[in-house]
Structures are given as structure tokens and as C-alpha cells.
Amino acid sequence: MRCGKMAAPPPPPPAGTAGAWGGVRRRCQRLLYWVPVLFISSILCWSYYAYVTQLCLLTMTNIGEKVVCLVAYHIFFMLFIWSYWKTIFTLPMNPSKEFHLSYSDKESLEREPRGESQQEVLRRAAKDLPIYTRTMSGAIRYCDRCRLVKPDRCHHCSVCDKCILKMDHHCPWVNNCVGFSNYKFFLLFLAYSLLYCLFIAATDLQYFIKFWTNGLPDTQAKFHIMFLFFAAAMFSVSLSSLFGYHCWLVSKNKSTLEVFRAPIFRHRTDKNGFSLGFSKNLRQVFGDEKKYWLLPVFSSLGDGCSFPTCLVNQDPEQASTPGGLNSTSKNENHLFPAKSLRDSQSHLLTDTPSWSETSAKAEKGKVGMSNPALTMENET
């Protein structure tokens, strides 16, 4: 090697190499996301074999007990599988086209410096939208990645890389976002999985006791019976706390994200801004027809883009109120949104008996809501 000369740098990789490796990495990540689902599925398959074959068919001697346990077990099993399947494979709903910026508005945002010009663009885009929440700094909720004005209760999921309507959380156990489109399915999945585990633990208990008192024949069934009880009891404890937490969320009409960061309206933060009372909060998730409440079929009210609120303050910049009702003063409070709701949810505000719970709160401190301050801030 001659002195005074440096070795030439290695040639850069071909242009398509980085993209190819990026694609492989993304596919590997997508496969890894299914590992928790496969784990739950394998546990479920083993529990079916252990309960049906080893416990019911080979261990139980009473025919009546065997038939009752098999019938009840398969009912819980099918409801569990059905709700779990719907939670996994129901696609999260994204904001409708009306919340996306037009091509001209996108160009204006890119061209104009941050300031009054961009505020005017967002003012135009959000003028006729049913939006009442804003960011902590008083800015309109705008997603830079999806290029849209966020509907109320909508958040951007970093895993899905999409804005999800009424997002609760991204659940690795179902490899899906839990939001407006599948929240009812997720609740039923928790409920039926808890009932499934409790049923197994209850019917397996006497045989679990016989295992420790040497009352079972010395076969491989005794070890399946022991581990079946341990697994059912362990999952029952964790599922009961999680299911209880989400029942509380439904009763308060909150999402997990809203518990950690309460929604911010025009005048102040209001952690109960979307609560309409227990009955109406329940109907928003499960719908008006009670015959569908316990089935994993979609029956939630609305479209996920607009929600009734407990108290709304009319703003002169907002669209007129539904039903021809108009505000006579800028600071006059109303028990209906300043912008029109979808028909499937607006009836919740016209049913006056359920307002007894929220009217007391309104007397203590009236919380107004209107179009957010129109300064842009990225929120993901």
C-alpha cells in the first residue's frame, strides 16, 4: 500500500437494497405481532383437549354430569371464540373523507409558514365538522401523518400508523386496535373468556382436590386436570380485573386514553364531558336493541366521528344547532351539540329522563364547548 493515499470507500449499496431490507423487516414485525395471538390460541386448543377429552370423557363417571358439562362448556367456548375472532379481524374504523383536507388545503398548509395563514386553512376545514375537543395548547387536533382534522376521541396509533376512531388502546393479545368498530367485541371477549375460565375452574375443582388426595387414577389425565385448574384460576384473576376496569369505563363513557389524558374542551378540561348517564353510556356501546347486547354483532350507536356531550356552548363560528334551534347569546349553554350529530346518536340528547345525572353537574359548573382555537399543533 502506497503512502499518502487513502483506501477508497466501499461502493454504496444498490438503491433497491435498502427498500428490500425494509420490506423484509416490516414483514418480520407483522409476523411477530401474531405471537401473542398464537399463544392464546394454543392455550385455548390445549384447554379444549384437556377439558373435553381428559376430564369429561375419560375422568367423569356420572353420565348426567358429563352431558351437562359438555353442553355448557361448548356454549361458553363458541361465544369465546366468536367474540375473540370478531375482535381480531374487525378492521378499525378511520375518519371519513370529510375530515381529510382537500388537495388545495394540503398545498396551502405546505406552502404557508406556520401562523395565521395556516390557522385560516384549518378554520375553513373544520368549520362544518362536529368537532369540540382540542389539544392542551388550545390547538385544533390535526394529524400530520394522515393529513386530516381529527374527530373527537380519535387518535393516531403508532403501531397501525392510522388514525383510529374512538381509540381505546392497541392490544397485542388481539393484534389489533380496540376502538369504535370493535370495542363491544372486545368487552364480550373479556366477559366470555372470564366465564369460560370460571366455568372450567368450578367444574374442575373437585377433581383437582382428588389429585392431591390421591383420588384419581394414575394416568396422564391427572396432570391435565391439575394444570387446567391452575391455568383457569390464574387467567380468571387477571381477566376479572381487566373486565371490571372496562365495565367502569363504559359506565363513565371513557376510553383508556381519556383516563390518562382527559378531553379538553373550549373552556377547560372535562373528564366527564362525554358522559350522559349510565343508561345512555351503555347504549352508546351496546346499542338500543337489547337482543344484540350479548352477541358479537355490531350494534353500537353512531359512526365514531361525532358524539353527544353533556354540555355544549354555542359559538357564533359554529354551524347552526340541530332541529332549527338557535343560540340567542354567545355564552348561552345548551344541552345539545353546537354542530349536528348523526341521527343514530342525536336521539340520546332528546330523551330527557336520563339527563337527571348530568343536570346537577351543569348547575355546579357549566362547561362550554365550541370549535377549538384554530392554531395548528401536530398531535399523534
Side-chain angles (χ1 to χ4, degrees):
M1 181 166 119
R2 287 187 260 180
C3 297
K5 288 190 177 182
M6 298 179 62
T17 304
W21 277 111
V24 171
R25 184 179 60 185
R26 284 191 296 271
R27 283 192 289 270
C28 291
Q29 285 179 340
R30 283 197 292 267
L31 289 175
L32 287 175
Y33 290 152
W34 285 102
V35 170
V37 177
L38 294 175
F39 172 75
I40 295 295
S41 301
S42 61
I43 292 292
L44 194 60
C45 291
W46 166 78
S47 68
Y48 184 89
Y49 167 77
Y51 190 88
V52 173
T53 303
Q54 297 294 335
L55 178 60
C56 292
L57 298 181
L58 299 180
T59 304
M60 290 182 180
T61 56
N62 186 292
I63 301 298
E65 179 189 12
K66 186 180 299 189
V67 171
V68 170
C69 286
L70 283 174
V71 171
Y73 173 83
H74 280 91
I75 292 175
F76 289 125
F77 181 79
M78 292 305 298
L79 289 171
F80 179 14
I81 292 294
W82 187 7
S83 57
Y84 190 43
W85 178 275
K86 294 284 285 186
T87 306
I88 294 172
F89 294 104
T90 299
L91 295 177
M93 288 181 63
N94 312 119
S96 55
K97 291 182 179 179
E98 61 183 321
F99 291 90
H100 289 260
L101 296 184
S102 64
Y103 181 77
S104 59
D105 288 340
K106 291 178 184 177
E107 281 194 331
S108 300
L109 281 179
E110 293 174 355
R111 183 173 58 250
E112 300 292 342
R114 290 183 179 270
E116 187 60 32
S117 299
Q118 288 192 340
Q119 293 177 31
E120 184 59 34
V121 173
L122 294 178
R123 182 180 292 112
R124 269 198 320 271
K127 182 178 62 174
D128 297 321
L129 299 176
I131 297 173
Y132 308 107
T133 55
R134 56 182 182 177
T135 65
M136 295 183 66
S137 63
I140 192 168
R141 299 175 68 244
Y142 172 76
C143 180
D144 229 357
R145 295 184 65 85
C146 299
R147 311 300 295 276
L148 55 81
V149 175
K150 291 183 181 180
D152 293 338
R153 317 185 80 176
C154 172
H155 297 274
H156 188 91
C157 176
S158 58
V159 179
C160 299
D161 198 24
K162 295 178 182 177
C163 281
I164 308 299
L165 294 180
K166 197 186 176 184
M167 179 177 173
D168 187 87
H169 67 289
H170 186 94
C171 181
W173 299 107
V174 299
N175 190 28
N176 200 2
C177 260
V178 177
F180 175 77
S181 61
N182 63 351
Y183 188 65
K184 177 192 172 184
F185 306 148
F186 179 74
L187 280 173
L188 292 179
F189 157 63
L190 294 179
Y192 289 133
S193 58
L194 177 59
L195 289 175
Y196 177 79
C197 292
L198 289 175
F199 174 79
I200 289 178
T203 54
D204 187 37
L205 178 60
Q206 60 173 316
Y207 299 96
F208 177 75
I209 295 174
K210 288 181 180 180
F211 172 84
W212 296 105
T213 57
N214 296 320
L216 290 177
D218 192 15
T219 62
Q220 64 172 351
K222 62 188 300 184
F223 297 102
H224 285 285
I225 290 171
M226 180 188 67
F227 289 115
L228 190 64
F229 180 83
F230 274 129
M234 179 184 66
F235 280 109
S236 296
V237 172
S238 58
L239 285 169
S240 60
S241 58
L242 185 59
F243 179 63
Y245 171 70
H246 279 278
C247 286
W248 176 78
L249 290 180
V250 171
S251 69
K252 299 296 182 180
N253 202 352
K254 295 180 180 181
S255 67
T256 300
L257 293 177
E258 289 168 350
V259 169
F260 289 99
R261 186 168 64 183
I264 303 169
F265 303 110
R266 180 173 177 81
H267 288 82
R268 69 175 184 183
T269 299
D270 185 4
K271 62 181 181 180
N272 296 312
F274 292 108
S275 180
L276 305 177
F278 177 79
S279 176
K280 291 186 178 182
N281 293 343
L282 190 69
R283 285 159 57 191
Q284 279 206 7
V285 175
F286 290 94
D288 291 325
E289 299 187 66
K290 294 182 180 180
K291 60 183 179 181
Y292 296 123
W293 281 13
L294 299 181
L295 297 177
V297 294
F298 185 81
S299 58
S300 302
L301 298 182
D303 60 357
C305 292
S306 62
F307 298 91
T309 55
C310 63
L311 192 61
V312 177
N313 195 30
Q314 179 72 21
D315 192 313
E317 292 185 358
Q318 298 279 356
S320 60
T321 55
L325 298 172
N326 296 318
S327 175
T328 57
S329 170
K330 180 177 180 179
N331 295 321
E332 184 177 355
N333 292 302
H334 300 276
L335 294 177
F336 49 80
K339 289 186 176 181
S340 60
L341 289 168
R342 300 338 189 235
D343 291 340
S344 56
Q345 286 212 9
S346 60
H347 75 281
L348 292 175
L349 295 176
T350 59
D351 186 10
T352 55
S354 297
W355 280 100
S356 57
E357 180 179 324
T358 58
S359 59
K361 297 178 182 178
E363 292 298 326
K364 291 182 180 180
K366 295 184 177 181
V367 182
M369 291 165 53
S370 65
N371 202 29
L374 292 164
T375 56
M376 186 179 74
E377 174 177 285
N378 298 331
E379 178 186 272
T380 58

